[in-house]
Amino acid sequence: MKPSPLHALVAALGALGVFSLWTGLGASRVEAADDGPLVAHSVCEAHELEARKAADPSLQIEIPQEFASPWPSRAACLSHTAAEDASTPGPVQPIPFSHKHHAGLFQIDCQYCHTGTDRSRAAGVPSVQLCMGCHSQFPPTYDELAGIRTLKQHWEEKKTIEWEQIYRLPEYVKFQHRAHVQRGVACQTCHGPIEEMDKVYMTSDTVWWPWLLPAHKPEMGWCIDCHRRNGATQDCQACHY
Amino acid sequence: MSEIDRREFLKIVGVGAGAAAAAGCYRYSELPEKLIPYVIQDEEIIPGLPVIYASTCQECSAGCGVHVRTRESRPIKLEGNPQHPINRGSLCARGQAGIGRTYHPDRYVGPLQRGSDGAFAKTTWDDAQHTVAARIAAAQGKVAVLGAPTGPALSRLIDAWLAAVGGGSRVVYEPFAREALREATSAVFGVASEPIFDLEGCDLVIDFGADSVGGSGRSPVEHARQLMAARDVAKEEGRASRLVYVGPRLDETASVADEWLPAKPGSEGVLALAVARVAFETRSKGAPGSEASLQGVLAGFSPESAAERTGVSADAIRRLGRAVAAAKKAVALPPGVALTSRRAVATNAAVLVLDVVAGAVGTSLHIPPATETRVASFRDAVKLIDAMKSGDVKVLLVHGGANPVHTLPPDSGFTAALEKVGTVVSFASLPDETSERAHFVLPDHTPLESWGDAAPRPGVRSLVQPTIRPLFDTQALGDSLLGIARAMGDGVAGSLPAGSFRGVVESAWSGTSLRAALERGGEFGEGSYASPSLSASLARIEWREPQLEGEGEFVLLPVPSPLLGDGSGAHLPWLQETPDPITKITWQSWAEISERAAASLGVRPGDVLKVETPFGSLEVPVWPRGGIRDDVIAVAIGQGHTVGRYAAVQTPDGSSAPRGVNVISVLPSLTDEAGGRAWLAAKARVRAAGRFERLPFTQETDDKRGRMLGEAISLVALAEGGPSPWAPNQAAAVVDHGTPITGAAAAATPLGEVAPGEHAGEGDKHHEPEILRAYDAVADSLPTDPFRWGMTIDVDRCTGCSACVVACSIENNVPIVGETQVKRARIMSWLRIERYVGTGEPTLQPARPGPQNHEELGKTDVRNSPMLCQHCGAAPCEPVCPVLATYHSPSGLNGMIYNRCIGTRYCSNNCPYKVRRFNWYDYQIETWPQPQPLMLNPDVTVRAQGVMEKCTFCIQRIQAGRLLAKTEGNATPADGAVKTACQQTCPTGAIHFGNLKDEKSEVREAAAQGAGRAYHALHDLNTRPAITYLARVRREGEDHSA
Amino acid sequence: MTPPPAEPVAALIRPPPVARDSQVNRDLLRVMDGVSVGYFGVLALALGFMFAAGGVWIYQVYKGLGIAGYAHPIFWGSYIVTFVFWVGIAHAGTLISAILYLFRAKWRNAINRSAEAMTVFAVLTAAQFLGIHVGRIWKSYFILPYPNQRALWVNFKSPLLWDTFAITTYATISIVFFYVGLIPDLAIARDRSTGWRRALYTVLSLGWEGTSRQWKSHNRTVLHLSGLATPLVLSVHSVVSWDFAMSIVPTWHATIFAPYFVAGAIFSGFAMVLTMMIPVRRIYGLEHIITDYHFENMSRFLLLTSLIVGYAYCAEYFIAWYSGVEAEQTSFWSRAFGPYWISTWVMISCNAIFPQILWFKKARTHVPTLFVLSVLINIGMWFERYVIIIGGLSREYDPAVWGTYTPQWTELIIVAGSFGFFCQFFLMFLKVFPVVAIAEVKEIEIHARAHGEGH
């Protein structure tokens, strides 16, 4: 896949995001830093300050007891912030869920949450119960993350989460997840480097036909190209009925 | 995880796919773009995969088991339960359409109370129950419960409830109750119960107007299956088996019969006794059914006298009698609704006597012990009406979809009596004429939402379980009753079961493993039957023909509609739009009279007749037929509703007019000897009203003009063996000389015999059945592809019941276009059943032929041939599509890609079978009012305006099957793993589907077995269809044409 | 069909009445200037029909084809009928301009301009109907074989695709032909006009000076174009006929269709030329340029093609009987005596019987008769297509689904609109371009005078 202008854009936006995050934290400290040590107001800030102190030992920091906790981890804090950042590509989800954190850092298998993807046409979206399966066991300090609070609220109210759909095909296209998963097609083939995304967006991919026509993902030509290269079926009825 | 948990879960799941499908009636772009997962996901449910629950069909009293296919906990299709002993996996048209009740746009969405202004107003369950409770308490036992027969659990609860609330009368009311048969059984055998007929392996079946395989038979699916299995021409005994039909009209059963005796209506009993007498005399002494006590009964019925009284020739009676005596396993079926006259008990008894003589008792006729469940009684209904008139009923509760206002004759005075009842409570879930007159509507769940059970016959207990969370604010009847009782105080409620009605059902099944029963669909064991002897009361029966009221020249024959039943089916658009199996008329009422009678009245098809009886008159368009007695006018029961979006005609100003006519409105409220309801009771005076109404029929002529469609072959010709007369290599010969327009060759062809040219093949008997060669499966699909999907359709087994048509429409989201569009030939069904009579003559057409009918009284050469996309190997539609929207798939299917179609409609012009349908309007908006979109099949695209569509051999099922096989590690699905919707539901197994490349596949087996009578529709066009038809077999039976 | 051999036709030419050059110019250009109330009335009428049709069509696109009279199994109706009709009309132009040019039938000069104009307008009208007829006009670009991301191709086996090509080709050629022929006259017009007209003609006449070199290359171009166009006359309507002949519908699947349709096309084309030119000649007093003698020659053509068409009718029925194919026979029988018998007999009498009066010189030279006859022929030819399409589809192989078709007001408005569409073009043309090829008419005179002196 060649790097495209969109990739450059994504990279730029990503950088911008990280930068703003850094300055943001910086600002909060500046206020506190008039006199006396820098005081953390949350576990996430505590992580930040420790990182700063590691960088320059002269820095005076104070971490109240209630915030002196390893959880949520610094990675979790950063992912969470990045996932709710509207300036990066992709829609802001009702819960700032980070695939990077779960699939990337923790290496949770895609099908652990997206169950039935290997048996069904649809890739299942995990139920609230499944999320709570892990998250109910986490220490209360996690609740400082807004996403966790929303999740627990949904669970208590038994309310469904309405995720924004990103990969969406017309009714007359019957994409079969199971067929692809069974053939061992990696999720990333179509969904891009999902394990590197804090906030999921549709990565762009383009195939150039010999007659110099672009077929963009997820247009039909893009599917056909892959099917041709891999000798998969090109029967129209495989997808259209 | 047990069912119980699942129920809890369903209460709290968010149905994401539901949200999407609910929007099915909007354009695609307007669908919500959210992913809505479950809060708690039932581990049974994987989004995108169906979950199937076993339940019981509630559309009629036969009690067939169903499998409810659900997607994301929404039922999308009903299919027969293969384990159920009654229907063995099949379902009739009504059963298939039953799913529509749950998603019906007219449903009551919550409890209603009639306000002071006389209009319904919303109320809460609590208020409603308390008000009703108060009224009941005030009524001091002047309470009555009127309703259709229910399952044992509910029935017991109602009785207990009535007792608890201070007594009151309970009336089980069913328009098509078979009381006369029950009475007759007690008269003949001394057991008051309804016999069960088993046609399995019968070599002689005499149907006395029961129309057993017709949609309103006793157990149509079961009987059709048993009958056709018994007549399987592949077997020696099958070829020997005969079906004889006695009745004034060529109905579904008569159409598939070998012999049709159009006896005078009402004289069936006499005929039965005469036949019995001949058989009795032929029978050797000591054989079963040679009891001396019969002698007296039969004495008075010589063939000659009977011939005079019935209009059936004496030698016909003799021959039939001898056949009965000779038969190994014979059975006579007593009359159905249409012939239930004022002497119905005698008639039924006579037929039972014939059964005795035929030795059917214990073999093909079983008498269950008298049941404890309440059975319908017309006498009770009449009593109730009197009580209502005299003000002895203060509170009337109507349940179970009973609609007496529509189904009782006006002169029964029910409607008037209803005015006198202070409080009428209706538990209807769909508005009907009765519920619209009620003071309270406490809407019941639909069968798909409720718990319940059924006990269709000894040894068979069947469960009803909910498969979807109630769509609206409705409440199960049982729970409403319990709620009312509790509202009346603990004194009342104390004696009733605590908890919900579901608990009641479960406790009723406490003896058994509920879990297992839920999985299987019930408990299916062998029933124990009484082995009765003739009762003395037999002698007391007086055998006379019935008197008919009025002195018209026509006998008014009210026939149950095969599709709408007693009218409850009229609310379901699929049943309304499915053509009547006999006349191919949709959405309307019509009167059948003989062509001779029509000629003398000077009316042509569609001219309106004025039908007058002493009890009223109605105007209805006429449909002249050859297949009906000259002295009979037949009108189907079931139409004429004034309430309902589909059941009635919606006029532009918002009001609703009756759709068709309600023949009951001109019938008297008369009873048979034992107080059962008499349907065949009036004579009618008929004259032309001088108007014309275009009937919405879908087939104009039943003349196939000698073309290779709906073929038939005589048993003789078949017995000669050898290749099919229509086998490809000979077919060429047939076609090449063709049939000259002089019609000489056709004229020389006796009906049903093989046309002269078609015998060309008999010269070379030695070689393979060529018909199989025509498959040339490899040539018509990619050599590398493991499949060439194909079908074998046995015309000999098709009864025209149209279950496949409805199944197809529901499986494939086929739109309903409505009456006016059907009149413009815009019906969308992918599968139609063509009904041809005889070989047909290529006669020259008059300028405006109009509907033509070639039936003849006493002749049964009817061919029902299902016509669907033939998925030709050389499909004419494929090369002409400029955009390749229709193409030949690697698996040999004729693919139709909706989103590529631009609508030039060339493919349809070029399709010789005319099976393609075009979306003239945006039906996806017009046919799916909320919440109907919830039942759309998510695996099938809803077609948009301006695209062509057609049968796909259920491609969605094929693809699912292939992928499932892969999941299980097989290269290809096992034979029979992929079933098309039509094949799945066919009661007689007339449709076989499978992979033609698989030598051992069922579809090839069937074709090979029927090789002697196999043909391809319009073979001469060399389209190489994937469907092989097996011709109807005409067994020799006497010709009774006048 | 073959036009009459060159020599006899050339021999037919008697010197037409002579007018002096400037006189011819003035006569012909007079047509273009000044518009009468009558003219506006007619134009308004035409436009009215056109816009009404446009409205109905938009409604149809929104609501669906259901508003037309289609009924299973008759999936093609008035739209295709009218499409074929206009394609037919389009034939006279090329025939007159190209074939008669090659045969040096000079008498064509008086009418070829208007005939060519009609060709162009008729093709444009016909093309409309391809779009009106399809179910999803918004997807109709699928039918073009352009490289696309879907990597999908079109079906070159489909006659409908050939149709698309045939029509577009024909439109291109006839427009070019029309324009090339116009150039010298545009120059004349340029020299005699002022204002916007002058500007327009200056551009369009491509700096024509009338030098012998220009004339030489002009003539050569026309000659070559004629060579190109001639096969089209035969091919276009053959292709259109294959829409039917290539299918298996009884009464359609016949080898006679191509010649049958071509003859019919020329027949109707000439009829339309007469219908249009007779009033024009009368109104603008061009009797001395478009003479009865021209009409007579056209009448001979009408007679010839009418005979061919009549022969085709007989042949169809004979073959149906002779083939012994029951479906074919039934279909033809019901065509003549079935639900559509009226249309059939209208077609036969208008196309095969009435034209026989042209055997008489009196009829050939009596203009009112010719006018009435030409109108009748146009009606007859529309019904011919109606009978072929509707009649064929209503009686096919499966008797269970035989159907009948009744046109609805909606489609009739659209059909009427197509005539409005055509007429408004023609009316505009009258006012903007010389209705008769001035240069060529003069050519004749010069010849004539030369001959005259010679004698």
Side-chain angles (χ1 to χ4, degrees), chain B residues 29-85:
Chain B
S29 55
E30 296 168 10
L31 293 181
E33 308 197 0
K34 303 278 185 191
L35 283 170
I36 309 174
Y38 291 90
V39 173
I40 299 173
Q41 184 165 347
D42 179 347
E43 56 222 43
E44 290 173 333
I45 296 176
I46 299 168
L49 291 185
V51 186
I52 292 168
Y53 300 106
S55 188
T56 308
C57 179
Q58 302 285 301
E59 287 299 309
C60 80
S61 54
C64 298
V66 293
H67 274 176
V68 184
R69 170 137 42 82
T70 67
R71 274 288 298 273
E72 289 83 44
S73 45
R74 273 183 304 120
I76 57 168
K77 178 96 167 42
L78 299 183
E79 299 192 337
N81 176 354
Q83 295 174 309
H84 201 283

Side-chain angles (χ1 to χ4, degrees), chain B residues 145-166:
Chain B
V145 178
L146 174 78
T150 65
L154 184 55
S155 184
R156 276 193 298 275
L157 178 68
I158 295 174
D159 289 337
W161 181 84
L162 260 178
V165 300

Side-chain angles (χ1 to χ4, degrees), chain B residues 645-904:
Chain B
R645 173 187 313 240
Y646 301 113
V649 178
Q650 301 305 322
T651 52
D653 59 27
S655 67
S656 60
R659 173 179 298 288
V661 297
N662 181 8
V663 64
I664 296 169
S665 66
V666 299
L667 291 178
S669 161
L670 292 171
T671 64
D672 61 25
E673 306 96 313
R677 181 170 183 176
W679 287 89
L680 177 68
K683 288 195 156 215
R685 178 172 286 113
V686 177
R687 56 183 170 78
R691 283 188 296 118
F692 172 83
E693 270 179 35
R694 171 90 162 76
L695 280 166
F697 55 82
T698 63
Q699 183 176 343
E700 199 167 34
T701 174
D702 56 11
D703 175 1
K704 77 190 187 75
R705 309 182 63 79
R707 298 177 185 178
M708 209 183 286
L709 298 156
E711 291 294 353
I713 185 172
S714 75
L715 195 53
V716 187
L718 186 65
E720 286 169 11
S724 157
W726 307 281
N729 58 342
Q730 289 88 14
V734 181
V735 172
D736 286 350
H737 75 64
T739 325
I741 198 149
T742 58
T749 311
L751 282 181
E753 292 304 327
V754 185
E758 295 167 347
H759 276 302
E762 296 188 358
D764 39 5
K765 287 215 178 70
H766 56 277
H767 55 54
E768 308 289 328
E770 278 74 6
I771 200 75
L772 293 181
R773 221 177 278 165
Y775 279 156
D776 195 2
V778 182
D780 292 340
S781 81
L782 272 193
T784 54
D785 193 281
F787 305 101
R788 162 58 165 147
W789 298 104
M791 238 182 216
T792 304
I793 298 179
D794 189 342
V795 173
D796 192 44
R797 278 172 174 255
C798 182
T799 66
C801 73
S802 302
C804 49
V805 178
V806 179
C808 172
S809 299
I810 290 176
E811 167 75 18
N812 293 300
N813 304 337
V814 174
I816 303 295
V817 298
E819 181 181 353
T820 46
Q821 287 296 301
V822 172
K823 281 179 182 168
R824 295 181 61 179
R826 304 249 179 102
I827 191 167
M828 293 297 284
S829 62
W830 288 0
L831 165 58
R832 64 173 182 266
I833 296 181
E834 298 182 343
R835 183 172 184 272
Y836 291 114
V837 177
T839 313
E841 304 247 352
T843 47
L844 302 175
Q845 296 276 323
R848 282 239 174 243
Q852 297 165 59
N853 181 291
H854 294 76
E855 297 161 347
E856 283 178 57
L857 202 67
K859 279 195 179 167
T860 66
D861 187 12
V862 175
R863 303 97 183 266
N864 295 310
S865 97
M867 179 55 76
L868 58 156
C869 177
Q870 306 282 311
H871 291 270
C872 311
C877 56
E878 285 163 10
V880 298
C881 175
V883 294
L884 291 165
T886 184
Y887 76 109
H888 208 64
S889 92
S891 313
L893 289 169
N894 174 242
M896 178 70 224
I897 307 305
Y898 311 123
N899 45 306
R900 176 71 172 168
C901 176
I902 62 173
T904 67

Side-chain angles (χ1 to χ4, degrees), chain C residues 245-269:
Chain C
M246 290 288 163
S247 77
I248 64 168
V249 178
T251 73
W252 286 12
H253 186 58
T255 45
I256 193 177
F257 259 45
Y260 169 20
F261 268 49
V262 171
I266 292 159
F267 185 49
S268 60

